[in-house]
Amino acid sequence: MASTDAETLGEKPETPFHDLDHYLAIPRVAGLALSPDGSRLVTTVATLNAKGTEYGTALWELDPAGQKQARRITRSAKGEAGAVFAAGGELYFSSARPDPETPEADPVNALWMLPADGGEARVVLTRAGGVSALLAAKDTGALFVNAAVLSGSTDEDDDGERRKARKDNKVAAILHSGYPVRYWDADLGPAQPRLFAVEPGEEQEPGRPTTVDAAAPLQLRNLTPDAGAGLRDAESVVSPDGKTIYSSFAKPLARADSRSVLVAIDVATGTRKVLLDTQGMSYFPGPVSPDNRTLVVLSESDTTPEAAPQVRLHLLDVSSPAAGAAGAAALTPLAHDWDRWARPAAWLPDGSALLVTADEDGASPVFRISVGGRDTAGRVTRLTADTAAYTDVVAAPDGRTAYALRSSYEFPPEAVRIDLAGGGAVRLPAPAERPQYQGSLERVETTAADGARVPAYLALPEGASAGSPAPLLLWIHGGPLGSWNAWTWRWNPWLLVAQGYAVLLPDPALSTGYGQDYIQRGWGAWGKAPFTDLMAITDAVVQRPDIDETRTAAMGGSFGGYMANWVAGQTDRFKAIVTHASLWALDQFGPTTDAAQYWLKEMTAQMALENSPHLHVENISTPMLVIHGDKDYRVPIGEGLRLWYELLSKSRLAADENGDTEHRFLYFPDENHWILQPQHAKVWYGVVEHFLARNLLDKDLPVPAELGL
């Protein structure tokens, strides 16, 4: 394992990546909220508890000017998250920590508020089912929450009684009448999400003496009582004036299919109006312009076995009562000649441009798309020139600055200030220092047989040279519509680099950031261009004198796990293969995944068979480490179970007469598509290091002691 004798002796490891306990203890930053006046910036920081078994979250305030040190502003055992500033500067967040005024009550994820001028946080709203996402109107005091309601409930009191009855009677059963029934790792139902307006309630005892900070309790007004399952996994935004909420809305279709339409919800009346509903297309809302007149819309076309999805930006005039009546015809294309999949982030305060992010050649920069002006409308300008990935972009009210979280393979997410005039980003004083690693990172590439460029990152250990070449690990990303361009806690190359391995992170066909044609190259043919691209970049890298061609392994998770399985059945060039949460039998996977309606559009039955790794199990002569979580609904556990059985019964390394095999199966009964619990992440990395050392280095590293072996 990465834990060394130095830890036992109480010595500091060379880097956090030389010791799994130190690695897991690195604080993790997520989310960003900016106050309306631009003076306060808040993020969420997760830190490991003393037992090393879970992460607790807290809110931290950052200095937008970059002069003051970051400071923690909340602290509790249950943690806080989902920070949102109201127009008056109050900071709202959600937390399940006990309310000091009602300590006897069962804690739920309640709505808390920190006053704008400081003081203790207090509960302003609590309900039996808790609250989740928060929305605040930028220009008014309007506040909204997304919260789950049992579908048969008539009001909040009835909902609480129904929940209590289920809990008291220990009933977990769910009766379904539609599809889907689960999502990633969550069983859907019987509760369904609703959007509520948060409004002042009535004083319970008018005239009773109290302190000057006393306020009437808040109450919820259900804006979407008849939404059914329409708001499950929906994306919602609120207009700056707080009068309208725009949201994606799931529309059920025949044969258990569905797509997302775009709706507008009038806050005053709760009336819901469909703005965009087009066959073969899903719509999602982006931010609303500062003058409340224009909505950014992201469209995504349905996939077909022949065509990858098209993701595009549009503008929709929502200023007139007839807005949306013309459907898709009312949309104004925005930067459709730009061959990237943009993610809208924020308007500039004067409404002249939109800030977006998009995958771009191993990065995910911030771009500005001009909106106003006949000659400049749709013009795209890259604002950040570094090879980093940006998220959570917010624009300052002066229009000259933006803030974002930035990460790369050189550092985890950190808050930065972006100069919108000259470009460039400056790191703000952070809650924790950057973790230092040993080694180097290079950008490499090769040319595929069809002439396409195949790029990759290569992380090299210190000391790799012609005299001491490093063993190579080929890491294949998931998705497959994604890119190796941002820091990852689950697949972090520096842990393996610290053990002396070189790690290759390629973007083969189907990867984003290289244009629509690059995605289309591998569409519906996973075993062709994506596979040959991976082999081509591996061929190129092993020619380097600092890489040991005789000691290589392939690893991947999700789609990357699928590809690892495919590689295993197509070549014996690797000494070991690690496959995590992987697709094995595509005919079986299609109807059992949580989103079968999406998958079954992507490949015909014949295409699925042509690309299914399970048909090549008899060719597998490479030791494989299979990893799967039982709560994985995206790639159900049946894939891992069938893979494991067929490796032991049909592969060239099948179990012998004594039941022995070179293959291994690491099973997590209570994990999902990802390994989220820190003690299990430690086991994951420990077993992977053991398996690789055994097969590539001829070393017998111990497996984690927690396995009891």
Side-chain angles (χ1 to χ4, degrees), residues 119-205:
E120 286 281 350
R122 63 182 178 89
V123 173
V124 294
L125 181 74
T126 186
R127 60 185 300 274
V131 301
S132 50
L134 314 178
L135 294 172
K138 190 173 183 179
D139 297 339
T140 69
L143 186 69
F144 308 90
V145 299
N146 185 307
V149 173
L150 293 175
S151 58
S153 301
T154 57
D155 56 30
E156 283 291 276
D157 289 340
D158 184 42
D159 188 65
E161 292 174 2
R162 289 172 182 264
R163 289 178 182 276
K164 185 177 185 302
R166 283 179 63 87
K167 180 180 179 180
D168 291 348
N169 291 290
K170 298 182 178 181
V171 173
I174 303 169
L175 177 63
H176 291 283
S177 60
Y179 188 86
V181 300
R182 53 188 191 172
Y183 186 69
W184 286 113
D185 64 344
D187 293 307
L188 300 181
Q192 299 172 335
R194 300 286 185 265
L195 290 171
F196 293 87
V198 181
E199 298 175 338
E202 297 181 357
E203 291 187 36
Q204 295 178 350
E205 297 182 54

Side-chain angles (χ1 to χ4, degrees), residues 352-377:
S352 64
L354 185 70
L355 299 180
V356 307
T357 60
D359 289 351
E360 169 83 354
D361 198 2
S364 187
V366 179
F367 300 87
R368 180 178 58 238
I369 303 179
S370 298
V371 174
R374 179 178 300 176
D375 297 329
T376 60

Side-chain angles (χ1 to χ4, degrees), residues 273-331:
K273 177 182 179 181
V274 177
L275 299 181
L276 295 170
D277 180 357
T278 305
Q279 184 176 355
M281 192 73 67
S282 285
Y283 297 102
F284 306 91
V288 184
S289 62
D291 63 3
N292 301 287
R293 299 176 62 89
T294 306
L295 174 70
V296 178
V297 176
L298 185 145
S299 68
E300 180 176 344
S301 62
D302 283 356
T303 63
T304 71
E306 294 76 31
Q310 296 270 354
V311 177
R312 289 174 172 162
L313 291 181
H314 316 260
L315 300 178
L316 179 65
D317 182 354
V318 292
S319 61
S320 68
L331 290 172

